[in-house]
Amino acid sequence: MKNIRQETLAHVKKLLIKVGSAVLTGADGLDLKIIDSLVAEITELVRQGYAVVLVTSGAIASGKNRMGIVGKLKSMPEKQAAAAIGQGRLMRVYSKAFEKNDLCVAQILLTLSDLTDRQRYLNIRNTLSTLMQWGVIPIINENDTVAVDEIKFGDNDNLAAMIANIIEADLFINLTNTAGLHDCNPSESKKARLIPLVRELSEEIEAIATDDTSSVGTGGMKSKVIAAKKVTVSGIPCVIAPGKRKKVLADILAGKEIGTLFLPVADRLNSKKYWIAFTLRPRGRLVIDDGAKKALLEKGKSLLPSGIIDVEGNFALGDPVSCVDAEGITMAKGLVNFSSDEIRKIMGMKTAKISQILGHKDYDEVIHRDNLAITENNPKIRI
Ligand code: GLU
C-alpha cells in the first residue's frame, strides 16, 4: 500500500524546481559540481517524461564573488550591479551543463510588475508552455538589475511560488541548504527535529519558521513556508529539501522521506483568484457596510454599489482594490468594474440607478464575485 507521500507524488508530471543561492554557491563562487549534478538529475527526469521549469538564484552571489567582495552587499545599486555581472555567468554555467546532456535552456528574467499586468502574465504563461512543449528548460530569475522595491518579488521563493501557479505545476520542489522545516531553528538548537509532513499549514507552523538567511540568499525559512502556503492553496504540493543531497530529486519523486512535504489543500483557490489575492497590490479601498459584508463573506455574492459607504484612493476600471469594513478590517480583494470617481457617484445607490447617474451601465456589480478573493477569516489567504 502506498503511504501519503507516495500517493501525493505518484501523478506528478510537471515540476517547478527552485534552487537557492546557498545551494549553488561555495567559497569560490558558483559551485560547478553541484550545478552539474543537479543538471544531470534534471536531465534524467526529463528523459523519464517529466516537464521541468527551474527558478534559480545565484546571480548576485556569483557577481559578488567575481568582484572579490566578501560578506553581504548592502546597497541596492551594489546588488543590482552584482546581479548584472552574475546573471550572465549563471546562465553560461547552466547552459553549458544542459547542452552537455543535449538539452536546450531559455532564460526568463521577471519583475513583479510583469505578473501584475494580466496581459503580460498570460504572455509569460504562453511562452513557458511553448518552451515546455519544445522540451526546453526555462530558467527563471528575478530581473534584479532593474527591480526596485515596488516591483520586487522580494525573494525567489515568492517568485517560484507564482511561477508554479502560472504553469500549474504538479509539484514545487524548493531546494535549500537545510534538511527541511524543523520544529525550531536548527542553527540555534541541537534538539531541532525535522518535520517530515505538514498536512495543514496552520499559524503554528508559520510561526516556527524564522527569517534567518545565509550570507548569500535572500529568503530564510519563513519565506519558504510562505511560498509553500501560496502553492498549497492552489492545489500544488510542496517539498522543501536539501539541495546538496545526492539524488535528491529522484528520491523525492520516488516518495522517499526527504525534507518536508506540505500537502495541498483540498478546496483549492482557482488561478485567477490566486492572482488577485497574491500577485496584485491594491490601488485603493472600498469601505463596505454590514449588509455587503454578510453578502460577500457568508453568501459568496458580488459587491453592489448599495453596500459601499466610502471610497479611498484613485483607481481605474479593472484595478485591484481591497474591501474593508467600517473598522478598517480587510474583507476581500477584487477587481473593480468602475473607476473610483464613478464609484463615488453611485455608492449607496440601487443598481437600477447606475445608468441614470453615470449615463452608462456596463455592469451591475462594482466587483463581480468571480473577480473577488475573500481574505477575512480565510486561512488560505492569511499571509
Ligand atoms: N535573484 C537573486 C539572485 O539571483 C536571489 C534572490 C534570492 O536569493 O531569493 O542572486
Side-chain angles (χ1 to χ4, degrees):
M1 218 179 76
K2 282 186 178 150
N3 65 27
I4 185 126
R5 244 182 203 261
Q6 290 158 339
E7 232 167 67
T8 308
L9 302 171
H11 305 290
V12 170
K13 286 253 144 20
K14 210 188 289 170
L15 284 169
L16 188 289
I17 301 172
K18 185 245 159 183
V19 201
S21 305
V23 176
L24 296 174
T25 46
D28 307 318
L30 291 175
D31 183 339
L32 302 185
K33 260 197 175 153
I34 284 285
I35 296 181
D36 264 347
S37 87
L38 270 174
V39 166
E41 270 218 67
I42 293 173
T43 304
E44 184 52 35
L45 297 182
V46 172
R47 301 226 161 100
Q48 287 168 22
Y50 290 96
V52 176
V53 171
L54 193 61
V55 170
T56 184
S57 304
I60 297 176
S62 162
K64 190 183 81 169
N65 192 275
R66 177 66 184 82
M67 290 294 102
I69 301 168
V70 184
K72 279 208 174 202
L73 294 173
K74 286 181 192 76
S75 74
M76 187 60 112
E78 279 180 345
K79 287 183 195 164
Q80 297 188 309
I85 298 162
Q87 180 62 31
R89 297 166 67 79
L90 184 66
M91 275 315 287
R92 195 178 62 232
V93 170
Y94 273 118
S95 174
K96 252 180 144 178
F98 274 111
E99 289 290 352
K100 263 199 306 207
N101 293 289
D102 274 337
L103 282 174
C104 175
V105 299
Q107 170 184 258
I108 300 183
L109 297 177
L110 297 171
T111 61
L112 183 64
S113 58
D114 294 318
L115 302 188
T116 50
D117 179 302
R118 189 76 182 158
Q119 196 56 49
R120 272 146 84 184
Y121 173 97
L122 294 174
N123 284 348
I124 290 158
R125 187 158 83 178
N126 293 339
T127 305
L128 286 170
S129 121
T130 306
L131 289 169
M132 282 188 279
Q133 275 167 31
W134 287 352
V136 173
I137 313 283
I139 301 186
I140 305 174
N141 196 359
E142 176 149 16
N143 196 353
D144 293 305
T145 304
V146 301
V148 289
D149 272 353
E150 297 70 46
I151 56 163
K152 256 184 134 8
F153 291 101
D155 53 68
N156 275 6
D157 298 312
N158 188 25
L159 165 62
M162 290 187 192
I163 301 292
N165 184 260
I166 291 180
I167 63 165
E168 293 172 15
D170 303 315
L171 177 64
F172 171 29
I173 300 181
N174 196 341
L175 296 178
T176 181
N177 61 344
T178 67
L181 176 68
H182 293 77
D183 57 1
C184 60
N185 189 343
S187 55
E188 281 167 11
S189 164
K190 282 208 174 101
K191 287 200 190 123
R193 286 262 206 79
L194 179 72
I195 304 174
L197 180 69
V198 174
R199 288 175 187 273
E200 201 195 315
L201 228 162
S202 60
E203 272 177 81
E204 290 75 47
I205 294 283
E206 279 175 56
I208 292 175
T210 65
D211 275 330
D212 273 12
T213 58
S214 66
S215 64
V216 282
T218 303
M221 189 48 80
K222 181 142 227 118
S223 77
K224 290 178 182 46
V225 170
I226 292 175
K229 179 155 186 183
K230 287 184 175 176
V231 296
T232 51
V233 296
S234 55
I236 304 169
C238 170
V239 179
I240 298 178
K244 294 195 180 186
R245 185 187 178 282
K246 274 216 156 61
K247 286 179 68 191
V248 61
L249 299 175
D251 285 350
I252 289 173
L253 290 163
K256 293 198 182 153
E257 207 167 270
I258 296 164
T260 306
L261 168 66
F262 297 78
L263 295 183
V265 301
D267 143 40
R268 52 174 291 209
L269 210 62
N270 76 35
S271 149
K272 180 134 190 227
K273 292 203 179 194
Y274 177 98
W275 177 69
I276 293 170
F278 295 121
T279 313
L280 300 183
R281 297 200 178 152
R283 294 267 168 85
R285 306 206 304 175
L286 299 176
V287 184
I288 61 174
D289 67 16
D290 283 347
K293 183 170 156 182
K294 225 174 158 181
L296 261 52
L297 301 192
E298 291 170 26
K299 302 193 184 128
K301 294 255 164 93
S302 301
L303 178 66
L304 301 177
S306 57
I308 301 173
I309 45 184
D310 201 5
V311 181
E312 294 170 14
N314 290 315
F315 45 83
L317 184 161
D319 276 347
V321 301
S322 39
C323 303
V324 303
D325 67 6
E327 268 95 63
I329 296 172
T330 304
M331 304 284 116
K333 232 167 116 185
L335 306 179
V336 282
N337 286 333
F338 298 92
S339 70
S340 48
D341 286 346
E342 288 173 330
I343 302 173
R344 283 192 180 95
K345 290 183 191 148
I346 59 173
M347 66 188 188
M349 304 285 175
K350 290 252 170 292
T351 303
K353 287 237 167 165
I354 299 179
S355 53
Q356 205 181 318
I357 297 171
L358 299 180
H360 65 89
K361 187 188 78 160
D362 298 326
Y363 304 93
D364 285 345
E365 319 80 12
V366 172
I367 302 178
H368 191 275
R369 60 180 178 188
D370 291 346
N371 293 327
L372 192 71
I374 303 296
T375 52
E376 164 68 356
N377 282 333
N378 188 345
K380 283 195 282 185
I381 303 183
R382 195 199 59 237
I383 280 183

